Amino acid sequence: MSRRPVPPRPKPTKDEILEYLRSSETPLGKRELMRAFQLQAGDRVWLKQVLGELKEAGLLEGQRGRRVAAPDRLPEVSVLEIAGYDEDGELLAHPAGSDPKDPATPVVFMAPDKRGHRPAVGERVLARVSHVEENRYEGQSIRYLGAPARRVVGVYHRSGRGGTVRPTNRQVKETFDIRGEDAAGAQDGELVLIEPKAMHRRGDAPGRGRAEGRVIERLGSAANPRALSLIAIAEHGLPDVFPAEAVQQAEEAKGVTLGDRLDLRGLSLVTIDGEDARDFDDAVFAEPDSDAGNPGGFRLVVAIADVAHYVMPGTALDREARKRGNSAYFPDRVVPMLPEALSNGWCSLKPNEDRGCLAAELWIDRGGKLLRHRFHRALMRSIARLTYEQVQAAANGETDALTQPLLGSVIRPLYAGFAALEIARKARGTLDLDLPERRVHLNEDGTVRAILPRPRLDSHRLIEAFMITANVAAAEALEAKRAPCMYRVHEPPDPVKVEALREVLQGLDLAFPRGAPLRPSLFQGVLEKVAGTDAAPMVSELVLRCQSQARYAPENLGHFGLALSRYAHFTSPIRRYADLLVHRSLIQAWRLGDGGLEKGDVERFEEWGQAISMTERRAATAERDAVDRFTALFLSGEIGTLKPGRVVAVTRFGLFVRLQESGADGLVPISRLPEDYYVHEEKRHALVGRRWGREYRLGEGYLVRIREADPLTGSLTLDIVEGEDGATPSPLARGDRAAPAGRPGGGAGRRPKTTAFKGRSGKPGRRR
């Protein structure tokens, strides 16, 4: 009998090659890489080309003997982008093309060039860099490369024939000159979106650099609270106007008919969302499994809006949805992925209206294990639009007119199915950081009424559990057909960050085993040990920083945080393009009708995964910036008041303190700390006074005074109140207060790398 030919192993991705090189203790050549990835002789040219591209992008360094290695440090000569000034007046840069808000991005402190000049904010420069410590460098410009194309939002002030624009981005310290012909009729005090024209330097001090710009859009009065979201939208370049063709396609859409669809209109499906939800794309149902072979088990149904029916591949709607990548949610508006006629119309599962859906039918046992699943193109009719608070109140025995008739037949079976899924989740050992989320409550005129943490109820966890189960089933269904899948990938933590966490935990007498396989349960165990103690906020923050950033990719690398070997997003195609791709693949693989993937789509999955990961991060940053601005607006009326807070970040230029009531993060600049010469000990996450021994550490609680709150930039500046109630750090967080400055917890070891600066009224000290 002849053997079947062994199919060739898929070629590695660039990320896989880089990861393998990072894990190698020595540089490697093409021969070792060919062997490691089981490549064929014909792949040698392909590998050479890939390595060349990685080197050109600065991700690999050439070594002796034609070997390559992943660089541990920035190349000696690098292209940098000037980001702005820190609180101490130092000019900062980062590698061009990197994300300055990513903690892993190197920070470069720019010195004047040989002629005494410094580049302007926004410029790109070719610079010579030298390593200082950890992820920090010093740089000196060799050649100015000009400013990349970018847009800036700011406030226009008239002066003479033209005017000036002060940017709302707190990282851009410059003022832009606007000539009269470039002002587009902007009025004094109006918010505008400008495009820089040219850069010209006027000295080295912060705020003295100038640039010329052109007004390309007027955004309205800066005094209008509703302009705060517009600033974030424009600043981050979120597309907020749909092409006419896409709008027309959405408005011409019609409701679906039963046809070949499964009729689920007799099923008691309900939607459960927040009070402020603007679209409803998932509905749920649960009942005990009628199969005698599955005692105590359940049949669950998760019905998702059939977006693929309306957004066909290659159409104007599809192109715009892919460009946006996802919806973005702000306190006063939404920038949707799909036009309103779909997002709030035919693709929203409104109660008592027929809607097309893609339904996941799931069977679980009494322990929450997913036994089998089936996907249908269906027609459904939601019987009620419920809120999390309503459902939780009903489960607690406080029903209203809407939930009373649903309690026994709908709500209690949902909670019973949730209880089974909770057993499975706990058995997997997932990581549950349970981070608080702020919600901005607005008055009708757009002013802020209150900023409160969103409640975290069992009804929230119920919906999450149902959605996670459906997402797993979608990934399994695609793998069963060997169909393409856009996975939601969450890789294990960075070992370097884990080691830093281990050192901090040792100072708190908490063990974190070295050498054991990293599992979410290890981190969860640490969180449970410190729960309810003063160290809990600090440990939670450090555990969060250890984690990798989730992303979308066609390769299945598992989901570390959820402790799942496969995971995809299936449940929100109204607001996430990744989910729409999963729907299309399911439709094609399981022959569920029209709207499946088209020829050539699979080859673009990697490119699309990178693009929608980027748009997701962009939207999240814009949402966070908008909330910061609304929070600053709210707190601008409380200047001088005292608030309890806790340190959530320690940097070389000061402390970031999170206010307990509003969840807002404010900066305590190092210049506002009591007079001393402070050393930034990165591994201990502490600022230590070299003369008087004061320590300010991550996780410690303080009473702070609000000094400044700027709604236009979203910045908040605080002072620590010394000697008043609440100013003394908690005993557990200060367990090693009397320890020598270089030795966490008084233990033995080499002195950590440090950065030293003077305190109040002092100028920046020399970096060490």
Side-chain angles (χ1 to χ4, degrees):
M1 186 174 70
S2 61
R3 292 184 179 180
R4 290 185 178 180
V6 179
R9 179 174 174 170
K11 293 178 183 176
T13 65
K14 290 181 179 179
D15 286 342
E16 289 172 336
I17 293 174
L18 283 172
E19 188 60 36
Y20 187 75
L21 286 166
R22 289 192 188 104
S23 66
S24 174
E25 296 182 357
T26 60
L28 301 174
K30 288 192 287 292
R31 181 178 299 175
E32 289 94 338
L33 292 172
M34 294 279 291
R35 188 183 305 119
F37 291 105
Q38 301 177 21
L39 297 175
Q40 307 298 315
D43 296 325
R44 184 177 294 274
V45 174
W46 171 84
L47 180 61
K48 181 179 180 181
Q49 180 181 347
V50 169
L51 295 178
E53 292 172 355
L54 291 172
K55 283 196 284 187
E56 188 174 328
L59 300 174
L60 285 185
E61 287 182 349
Q63 304 287 336
R64 291 182 180 179
R66 297 185 179 180
R67 293 172 176 266
V68 292
D72 292 327
R73 299 179 180 176
L74 289 179
E76 185 177 347
V77 176
S78 300
V79 177
L80 306 176
E81 185 169 333
I82 309 303
Y85 294 90
D86 68 10
E87 290 294 323
D88 295 307
E90 292 206 53
L91 190 62
L92 305 180
H94 57 82
S98 63
D99 180 4
K101 296 191 177 183
D102 186 342
T105 297
V107 177
V108 185
F109 300 93
M110 297 300 295
D113 63 20
K114 293 181 179 180
R115 295 177 296 173
H117 295 155
R118 289 190 183 188
V121 174
E123 273 192 296
R124 291 193 176 194
V125 296
L126 187 67
R128 192 175 304 281
V129 299
S130 58
H131 187 248
V132 176
E133 60 181 23
E134 299 295 332
N135 212 26
R136 287 162 169 72
Y137 300 78
E138 286 187 346
Q140 188 177 58
S141 302
I142 300 172
R143 186 166 72 248
Y144 296 98
L145 305 177
R150 63 188 179 113
R151 292 180 171 186
V152 176
V153 178
V155 180
Y156 179 77
H157 297 286
R158 295 190 64 177
S159 60
R161 295 183 179 179
T164 59
V165 169
R166 180 173 66 89
T168 57
N169 187 331
R170 70 191 81 171
Q171 292 182 328
V172 181
K173 306 295 184 182
E174 294 175 303
T175 299
F176 289 82
D177 292 328
I178 310 294
R179 298 184 180 183
E181 63 269 24
D182 293 326
Q187 301 299 307
D188 190 61
E190 194 172 28
L191 275 172
V192 294
L193 179 65
I194 67 169
E195 187 175 67
K197 293 172 58 180
M199 312 291 290
H200 53 95
R201 287 170 289 283
R202 293 184 181 177
D204 298 332
R208 291 181 61 193
R210 306 290 266 201
E212 289 187 7
R214 174 190 301 111
V215 175
I216 57 176
E217 187 175 350
R218 296 166 60 187
L219 302 176
S221 172
N224 184 353
R226 297 190 183 277
L228 299 180
S229 292
L230 289 175
I231 294 174
I233 291 167
E235 207 164 72
H236 294 280
L238 270 63
D240 61 338
V241 177
F242 284 98
E245 187 180 0
V247 173
Q248 182 180 351
Q249 288 177 3
E251 292 178 346
E252 290 175 351
K254 298 178 181 178
V256 302
T257 56
L258 182 60
D260 294 332
R261 294 173 179 267
L262 178 68
D263 194 347
L264 294 179
R265 288 175 292 182
L267 210 60
S268 299
L269 287 156
V270 296
T271 62
I272 305 175
D273 296 277
E275 291 180 340
D276 56 348
R278 298 167 171 98
D279 48 49
F280 317 116
D281 51 7
D282 56 77
V284 292
F285 169 82
E287 66 178 0
D289 190 357
S290 59
D291 185 353
N294 185 26
F298 291 87
R299 170 184 174 243
L300 314 178
V301 177
V302 176
I304 307 298
D306 191 358
V307 176
H309 172 80
Y310 295 100
V311 183
M312 301 295 284
T315 61
L317 270 174
D318 182 44
R319 291 192 298 272
E320 185 64 16
R322 186 168 62 247
K323 174 184 174 182
R324 294 176 178 230
N326 45 264
S327 298
Y329 296 86
F330 300 93
D332 59 342
R333 72 191 71 216
V334 177
V335 178
M337 187 180 81
L338 301 174
E340 187 175 359
L342 292 180
S343 60
N344 290 341
W346 292 117
C347 292
S348 188
L349 306 182
K350 296 180 179 180
N352 304 313
E353 294 185 17
D354 287 358
R355 289 291 185 268
C357 67
L358 198 58
E361 195 173 10
L362 316 165
W363 287 267
I364 61 173
D365 66 15
R366 66 175 67 191
K369 180 182 177 182
L370 182 60
L371 302 176
R372 59 192 177 95
H373 44 73
R374 191 163 56 200
F375 287 83
H376 311 275
R377 214 83 179 265
L379 189 67
M380 61 155 288
R381 176 184 282 253
S382 168
I383 64 169
R385 180 271 202 256
L386 304 175
T387 69
Y388 292 116
E389 291 76 13
Q390 266 185 309
V391 172
Q392 190 62 54
N396 295 340
E398 301 175 7
T399 57
D400 58 22
L402 184 58
T403 57
Q404 176 60 41
L406 303 176
L407 182 61
S409 60
V410 175
I411 296 175
R412 283 181 178 154
L414 287 173
Y415 273 84
F418 166 56
L421 293 174
E422 272 291 276
I423 295 172
R425 184 188 68 81
K426 291 176 180 177
R428 292 199 314 271
T430 61
L431 178 60
D432 187 9
L433 287 169
D434 209 11
L435 300 172
E437 183 183 353
R438 285 179 286 167
R439 180 184 173 189
V440 179
H441 298 259
L442 300 178
N443 297 312
E444 290 187 4
D445 61 356
T447 56
V448 182
R449 182 171 71 254
I451 298 174
L452 301 171
R454 287 184 184 269
R456 180 75 171 157
L457 308 172
D458 276 347
S459 53
H460 291 93
R461 295 184 176 92
L462 182 157
I463 291 299
E464 286 178 5
F466 276 57
M467 298 305 114
I468 288 171
T469 307
N471 288 337
V472 171
E476 288 184 356
L478 291 176
E479 288 184 0
K481 291 288 188 178
R482 297 185 178 181
C485 180
M486 186 62 77
Y487 291 96
R488 181 62 168 177
V489 171
H490 183 227
E491 295 169 270
D494 182 346
V496 175
K497 294 180 180 178
V498 173
E499 187 59 34
L501 171 65
R502 183 180 286 110
E503 291 186 15
V504 175
L505 295 178
Q506 285 176 347
L508 297 171
D509 294 325
L510 293 171
F512 195 85
R514 182 181 273 107
L518 283 179
R519 293 190 177 92
S521 56
L522 285 176
F523 295 95
Q524 191 64 33
V526 170
L527 294 173
E528 291 171 359
K529 286 179 183 177
V530 299
T533 71
D534 290 330
M538 174 180 68
V539 174
S540 295
E541 197 73 30
L542 290 174
V543 169
L544 174 63
R545 294 182 188 186
C546 281
Q547 305 309 309
S548 303
Q549 191 169 39
R551 60 189 177 89
Y552 294 105
E555 297 85 26
N556 180 19
L557 301 176
H559 196 292
F560 179 82
L562 295 175
L564 292 169
S565 58
R566 59 184 60 81
Y567 192 64
H569 275 168
F570 158 79
T571 55
S572 295
I574 289 180
R575 59 186 179 90
R576 294 189 305 225
Y577 194 76
D579 302 51
L580 178 56
L581 291 175
V582 169
H583 278 225
R584 287 175 178 169
S585 192
L586 285 167
I587 290 167
Q588 181 188 51
W590 289 91
R591 299 181 181 179
L592 299 178
D594 297 331
L597 293 175
E598 289 196 330
K599 185 178 180 181
D601 283 354
V602 179
E603 286 74 18
R604 302 190 65 185
F605 259 44
E606 183 172 356
E607 171 196 339
W608 289 345
Q610 293 174 357
I612 58 182
S613 296
M614 183 277 293
T615 58
E616 178 188 48
R617 290 191 289 270
R618 177 183 67 181
T621 304
E623 291 167 352
R624 185 171 61 249
D625 286 357
V627 171
D628 286 347
R629 287 184 166 96
F630 277 98
T631 305
L633 174 65
F634 180 65
L635 295 176
S636 63
E638 301 188 24
I639 301 298
T641 59
L642 303 183
K643 304 283 184 182
R646 194 170 293 275
V647 178
V648 293
V650 179
T651 72
R652 56 185 294 278
F653 52 81
L655 309 169
F656 282 96
V657 175
R658 182 164 296 157
L659 302 186
Q660 184 176 309
E661 297 172 357
S662 63
D665 291 347
L667 174 66
V668 180
I670 199 167
S671 60
R672 300 292 300 178
L673 295 177
E675 180 71 32
D676 208 331
Y677 197 71
Y678 288 94
V679 175
H680 179 211
E681 297 188 358
E682 288 190 88
K683 290 186 177 180
R684 294 183 62 212
H685 300 274
L687 285 176
V688 181
R690 183 174 289 177
R691 182 177 183 186
W692 302 112
R694 287 187 180 89
E695 290 190 14
Y696 298 92
R697 294 180 55 190
L698 185 74
E700 291 182 335
Y702 293 96
L703 195 64
V704 296
R705 178 179 286 108
I706 299 176
R707 186 157 64 95
E708 296 175 3
D710 186 350
L712 291 180
T713 63
S715 60
L716 190 64
T717 308
L718 310 171
D719 285 333
I720 287 179
V721 180
E722 294 284 336
E724 301 185 30
D725 290 343
T728 303
S730 57
L732 184 56
R734 278 283 178 104
D736 58 343
R737 183 186 182 100
R743 301 188 177 189
R750 291 185 300 174
R751 183 180 183 87
K753 293 180 179 179
T754 60
T755 308
F757 293 92
K758 295 189 80 171
R760 187 167 297 173
S761 302
K763 294 182 179 180
R766 181 172 57 87
R767 288 186 301 279
R768 297 185 58 190

